[in-house]
Amino acid sequence: MCSCSHLTLTPLLLNVCPQLTLSDAVAYKSSAEKISTELGKHDAVSENGSSKLWTLQSIGSMQAQSAGRIKMLATQIESLRSEIQNRNVDISKRRLELARRRSDSESAKYQLAERETGALTSIQNNHKRTDHLWNSLHTKTAEARIFLCREVASLYGLRQKVRKRDNGLKESYMIGGVNIFDLRDLNGKLSLFSLCLP
């Protein structure tokens, strides 16, 4: 009787085993052997039909529970695999971003001193050129003013007279026959100057 129940249960157990992982399959086969030995004991103790039915029902419920656990573990394994794959993709993206940033940083630092020197030299050359242009423009402006002053002086008849006075030469200027006061002579003689004003 024991061999007959063992023969009926073993194919059922082996149909479930290909869906299991290797370690679960080994554990399941050992539990199947336990169940079959317990069935043999149970059959020897009582050859009652109700006890066989109860044993078969308990085996079926154990199979359903293990199949449910197998499905749950398979979904967990798949979710963990997808999470690992997503993390690996994220890590590779971050590595690429870091490599790009390093490359950008190295290219920005490449020959930085030479570029700074070149920019500074360019600025200094522009400054020198601007100074030269400013100085030449200032010289031209001064020459133009000198020329204009001479022309105005000749138009108004500016004349210079040099006289001997107090053991030295004294210069005086006249425009159109009117004396031009030397401001240096008026220093400290404010009353004389105020008399000349209308």
Side-chain angles (χ1 to χ4, degrees):
M1 187 91 176
C2 177
S3 63
C4 182
S5 63
H6 180 70
L7 289 175
T8 56
L9 289 177
T10 303
L12 293 174
L13 292 174
L14 292 177
N15 286 338
V16 175
C17 286
Q19 298 173 358
L20 300 174
T21 61
L22 183 61
S23 61
D24 289 339
V26 169
Y28 202 73
K29 282 183 182 179
S30 67
S31 67
E33 290 172 1
K34 276 184 185 178
I35 290 172
S36 66
T37 56
E38 291 216 9
L39 271 178
K41 288 178 186 175
H42 211 282
D43 287 341
V45 172
S46 102
E47 295 187 2
N48 192 334
S50 64
S51 66
K52 288 183 184 181
L53 181 63
W54 179 82
T55 306
L56 288 175
Q57 286 177 351
S58 66
I59 291 172
S61 69
M62 289 169 76
Q63 284 179 346
Q65 287 176 354
S66 64
R69 273 190 258 134
I70 289 170
K71 286 181 183 179
M72 183 182 70
L73 289 175
T75 56
Q76 285 180 350
I77 289 170
E78 283 303 315
S79 68
L80 289 174
R81 282 182 182 160
S82 66
E83 187 177 338
I84 289 171
Q85 188 176 15
N86 291 340
R87 297 264 171 109
N88 286 339
V89 168
D90 186 42
I91 289 170
S92 64
K93 284 181 182 178
R94 288 184 182 190
R95 283 182 180 158
L96 287 174
E97 179 67 21
L98 283 175
R100 187 187 59 80
R101 284 185 182 178
R102 283 189 192 119
S103 173
D104 291 348
S105 173
E106 288 173 3
S107 66
K109 290 178 183 177
Y110 180 70
Q111 293 182 341
L112 182 63
E114 290 85 1
R115 286 186 283 151
E116 284 178 349
T117 304
L120 183 62
T121 304
S122 172
I123 291 170
Q124 287 174 343
N125 288 340
N126 284 339
H127 184 263
K128 287 178 183 177
R129 191 178 310 116
T130 304
D131 276 350
H132 176 70
L133 290 173
W134 178 262
N135 289 335
S136 66
L137 182 63
H138 182 266
T139 303
K140 288 178 183 177
T141 305
E143 288 173 357
R145 286 181 180 167
I146 290 170
F147 173 76
L148 290 175
C149 287
R150 283 187 184 147
E151 288 298 313
V152 167
S154 72
L155 285 174
Y156 281 106
L158 178 66
R159 302 285 175 243
Q160 177 184 15
K161 289 184 181 180
V162 179
R163 292 188 246 166
K164 279 188 173 184
R165 189 173 201 192
D166 298 331
N167 295 331
L169 296 175
K170 180 78 174 170
E171 296 177 349
S172 63
Y173 296 93
M174 297 177 72
I175 292 182
V178 178
N179 280 334
I180 299 175
F181 292 106
D182 190 357
L183 295 177
R184 291 174 291 191
D185 291 340
L186 296 177
N187 191 13
K189 299 178 183 175
L190 190 56
S191 59
L192 178 66
F193 181 68
S194 60
L195 292 176
C196 295
L197 293 177

